[in-house]
Amino acid sequence: MQNEFAVVSADRHSKARHGRLTTAHGVIDTPAFMPVGTQGSIKGVSPRELRELKAQIILGNTYHLFVRPGLTAIRHFGGLHHFMSWDGPILTDSGGYQIFSLAKLRKITEEGVEFQNHIDGARAFISPEIAMEIQAALGSDIAMVLDECVPYPCEYDYAAKSAELTIRWAKRCKEAVEAGVSPANSKITADTADTAARQLVFGIVQGATFPDLRSESAQAIVELDFDGYAIGGVSVGEPEEEMMRAVESAEPFLPANKPRYAMGLGTPPQLLKMIARGMDMFDCVLPTRLARNGTAFTATGTLNLKNAEFALDKRPIEENCACEACRGFSRGYIRHLVKAEEILGLRLITLHNLHFYLNLMKRARSEIEDGTFDHFLKAFVAEYKPRDAIPIV
């Protein structure tokens, strides 16, 4: 497949690199964080606010959008970009993670996944071909192949069989795209300027926590020649060292001229550690999910703004932060809003957390350009002390 990615600069002391990925709806500077908009919306944040936050790309979910509102509605509105009024790049997950998270509602076969949807229990089926057709109808800029995400812990034999199934599914996904399943050939975009653009397709490396399976999976997926490659099946409950090992086992086999995407990660220190290991793209629900629980991210760790210690605190969430919350409101006021269950409080923390994550990626790119990323990483990890336990998501 055509290469849409170029490395601009690389760190001398690690595998960190600053790259640029060209998509139908814009160029993405990497390392990049993708806010998660599972159901066509970043929770509590408007597209205008995302643009003001300098979000470069967002993530949508094939399974959830397929179940609700359904493809008929999205086709009617002219695709996901028009439906949600977002004019930047979108990456859509294939639904593989839901195969993992909805384990009690699905059955996996060679052909695909049969499941009862989580809304009304209606039965549905997603195959590799259907997953690509759905994503073509959504009109995303980057589509992910259908994969199976195994749980942690996982037996070696099951992990091996699952990784092999993911490879076979990936091949079928590519064949479906080559047979004409793409936005350019989809009725949904026939009357839009998007028709001239090509939907990029990323393959996914699996293999659980077993280095040999990760290496073998990476090599097999790379042989299929996708536009980019993702490390899947991480951040599913495994210790951080296992997460890092999964990336380290696969990365040497991923081509340097293609983007690498670590799926579902993670805490701020984890993102920087992954960048040092050669990863370029990330998504995670932590900034928005923890915000709805009253937790804010700062350079020195997390703050649970529900705590009584902040009741009379006149300081912003973080000093010298340029986000809307920190420019205009105190910790004490935001705590009051959260305790009073006022929606504004959760929105302000969400805006701050997204700003923090996006600005962290901007800072990482700058440090790589300046040749100081290694020093920045060490200093950040040493300073960052979470006050509350952060779940692996």
Side-chain angles (χ1 to χ4, degrees):
M1 289 186 175
Q2 180 182 350
N3 185 23
E4 311 284 347
F5 180 76
V7 175
V8 177
S9 59
D11 181 53
R12 296 191 301 271
H13 305 288
S14 71
K15 295 182 178 180
R17 72 252 191 95
H18 171 199
R20 288 201 177 99
L21 175 62
T22 301
T23 75
H25 286 85
V27 176
I28 302 159
D29 277 293
T30 65
F33 177 77
M34 299 180 284
V36 177
T38 300
Q39 303 192 66
S41 169
I42 311 302
K43 292 189 185 300
V45 182
S46 71
R48 175 185 60 78
E49 289 169 322
L50 287 171
R51 286 187 283 271
E52 291 173 353
L53 288 167
K54 300 295 191 292
Q56 301 182 86
I57 177 173
I58 62 174
L59 181 144
N61 183 269
T62 296
Y63 165 83
H64 285 283
L65 293 168
F66 174 60
V67 172
R68 183 175 58 191
L71 296 187
T72 299
I74 294 177
R75 284 194 182 100
H76 174 76
F77 285 95
L80 185 56
H81 288 87
H82 296 288
F83 187 51
M84 64 181 294
S85 298
W86 169 253
D87 58 4
I90 298 175
L91 180 147
T92 45
D93 189 1
S94 66
Y97 184 78
Q98 280 63 48
I99 296 174
F100 160 75
S101 64
L102 302 176
K104 295 181 180 179
L105 303 176
R106 51 78 169 154
K107 178 182 178 182
I108 301 173
T109 67
E110 182 70 33
E111 285 307 305
V113 186
E114 184 179 349
F115 59 91
Q116 289 179 282
N117 79 56
H118 66 291
I119 295 174
D120 60 11
R123 302 194 72 81
F125 178 76
I126 294 181
S127 67
E129 293 80 8
I130 292 172
M132 303 316 291
E133 290 173 9
I134 296 170
Q135 292 180 87
L138 293 174
S140 59
D141 298 85
I142 303 173
M144 304 301 298
V145 301
L146 185 65
D147 66 319
E148 182 187 4
C149 177
V150 298
Y152 175 86
C154 178
E155 295 292 332
Y156 182 91
D157 288 346
Y158 184 81
K161 292 178 181 178
S162 174
E164 291 168 358
L165 178 64
T166 290
I167 293 166
R168 294 194 296 273
W169 281 359
K171 184 177 180 181
R172 286 168 57 188
C173 286
K174 183 174 182 183
E175 290 172 347
V177 171
E178 291 176 341
V181 177
S182 70
N185 294 293
S186 174
K187 294 179 182 178
I188 169 182
T189 57
D191 298 320
T192 74
D194 297 340
T195 54
R198 185 174 70 88
Q199 186 178 50
L200 306 181
V201 181
F202 282 19
I204 302 178
V205 176
Q206 288 290 348
T209 57
F210 305 101
D212 60 326
L213 296 182
R214 285 284 177 181
S215 300
E216 292 168 6
S217 175
Q219 293 176 75
I221 292 293
V222 168
E223 286 181 5
L224 295 174
D225 189 24
F226 288 102
D227 298 298
Y229 301 95
I231 308 293
V234 290
S235 195
V236 292
E238 77 280 11
E240 183 176 299
E241 57 268 24
E242 292 286 359
M243 183 191 305
M244 298 298 166
R245 189 174 298 117
V247 170
E248 292 166 352
S249 300
E251 185 275 333
F253 302 98
L254 303 181
N257 65 339
K258 300 287 182 74
R260 292 99 168 252
Y261 165 28
M263 304 180 75
L265 296 170
T267 66
Q270 286 172 352
L271 297 191
L272 295 181
K273 292 175 184 178
M274 288 289 180
I275 291 171
R277 287 164 171 79
M279 298 296 106
D280 304 302
M281 301 170 65
F282 311 91
D283 77 281
C284 190
V285 298
L286 286 182
T288 51
R289 178 174 293 174
L290 292 190
R292 297 194 300 278
N293 292 320
T295 297
F297 287 92
T298 76
T300 57
T302 54
L303 302 178
N304 185 344
L305 293 173
K306 290 181 178 179
N307 291 346
E309 64 181 292
F310 301 115
L312 302 178
D313 197 333
K314 294 183 178 180
R315 293 174 295 171
I317 295 174
E318 185 162 34
E319 300 287 354
N320 302 317
C321 175
C323 80
E324 180 180 351
C326 291
R327 290 198 314 268
F329 305 96
S330 67
R331 294 178 179 181
Y333 177 65
I334 294 174
R335 177 185 184 272
H336 157 68
L337 294 176
V338 173
K339 297 295 286 187
E341 298 184 352
E342 287 287 343
I343 295 173
L344 177 60
L346 306 184
R347 271 186 28 83
L348 289 173
I349 303 174
T350 298
L351 290 170
H352 169 79
N353 285 352
L354 288 174
H355 172 85
F356 180 85
Y357 266 66
L358 294 166
N359 195 58
L360 183 66
M361 296 297 99
K362 180 181 178 182
R363 177 74 184 275
R365 294 192 296 268
S366 177
E367 298 287 349
I368 293 169
E369 286 283 338
D370 294 341
T372 53
F373 177 80
D374 187 58
H375 175 75
F376 170 62
L377 168 62
K378 292 175 181 176
F380 184 93
V381 171
E383 184 73 12
Y384 188 89
K385 300 289 189 298
R387 298 190 183 187
D388 304 288
I390 302 294
I392 294 179
V393 178

